[in-house]
Amino acid sequence: GVTTTVYPVPGKSEQGRFCLDVASKCLELYATLFGVNYPLSKSDLVAVPDFAAGAMENWGLVTYREAKILVLEGSTSESMKRGIARTVCHELAHQWHGNLVTPDFWTQLWLKEGVARYLEFVGIDNIFPEWNAWEEFTQGVYGLAQNLDAMISSHPVEVEVKSADEIGEIFDNISYAKGASVIRMISSYVGFSTFLKG
């Protein structure tokens, strides 16, 4: 078994229970779906005060901004809980798609982030079927991709990256939202079970 632990700052351990539950179920789900067990003995989720990024997947240890991982029961809104569950599922998807298997270079960032964004919805749809995840995907992710793609400033989902200085320019909603929308279209076209086989 995998030991999953949430590390908040002292005094906030109760606020990590929701995330712990989501992470434990998500790891088990992904191992089943991908046919590849999570290869480490532990999965640590760390709540960091004033963390600049929303979250960052590291091999076996994911760091999160506190607002992206901690739930104060009776105070945290339903939409915030959904966002937290999505973020947890997204970052854990990277343990397989980003850490075990990773693109050759940053030009394929859209693939890494698009797959993780798509899989976060697969995760929450399985863990919380009552949330109607695919309606949220269509409105939020696909709708955003369509709006951004209609702009003059849009760019292809895959952008050639020639140097490390250019990496920050492609970490945008085109890579995430349009990438996930393309991945979902492929999965829908070939069928989910065929998609999972690669």
Side-chain angles (χ1 to χ4, degrees):
V2 177
T3 302
T4 304
T5 310
V6 176
Y7 293 98
V9 296
K12 294 187 178 181
S13 59
E14 285 298 314
Q15 295 178 39
R17 292 202 181 279
F18 175 77
C19 173
L20 179 62
D21 183 54
V22 171
S24 298
K25 290 175 180 175
C26 186
L27 284 171
E28 187 176 315
L29 171 68
Y30 287 165
T32 301
L33 288 177
F34 308 146
V36 176
N37 288 330
Y38 179 77
L40 303 175
S41 60
K42 66 154 187 96
S43 173
D44 295 333
L45 297 89
V46 180
V48 180
D50 301 321
F51 187 57
M56 181 62 203
E57 76 280 358
N58 302 287
W59 190 221
L61 181 139
V62 182
T63 51
Y64 298 85
R65 186 182 309 152
E66 280 188 330
K68 295 285 187 180
I69 192 174
L70 301 181
V71 170
L72 185 57
E73 289 301 333
S75 180
T76 302
S77 70
E78 184 71 22
S79 65
M80 282 296 293
K81 285 176 83 170
R82 286 175 184 241
I84 289 166
R86 282 182 51 193
T87 301
V88 170
C89 291
H90 180 100
E91 299 306 327
L92 293 178
H94 279 311
Q95 297 303 304
W96 283 267
H97 303 280
N99 290 332
L100 270 180
V101 177
T102 195
D104 223 14
F105 195 60
W106 292 99
T107 299
Q108 293 83 32
L109 174 75
W110 76 273
L111 186 58
K112 180 174 100 67
E113 294 302 342
V115 166
R117 175 63 38 96
Y118 170 71
L119 289 172
E120 78 188 49
F121 283 89
V122 170
I124 65 168
D125 187 50
N126 279 271
I127 299 168
F128 302 103
E130 69 279 9
W131 284 2
N132 299 314
W134 297 111
E135 287 179 19
E136 184 179 344
F137 181 95
T138 301
Q139 293 171 4
V141 177
Y142 180 69
L144 175 62
Q146 292 285 62
N147 288 337
L148 292 172
D149 217 22
M151 296 179 151
I152 293 171
S153 60
S154 183
H155 60 79
V157 71
E158 183 166 299
V159 176
E160 185 177 0
V161 176
K162 296 177 184 164
S163 73
D165 296 337
E166 299 172 341
I167 296 168
E169 295 174 26
I170 60 168
F171 268 96
D172 62 10
N173 280 317
I174 295 283
S175 295
Y176 286 78
K178 187 176 177 182
S181 297
V182 168
I183 296 298
R184 184 176 183 215
M185 286 180 214
I186 294 168
S187 176
S188 295
Y189 182 74
V190 301
F192 187 63
S193 59
T194 302
F195 174 78
L196 287 174
K197 292 176 187 171

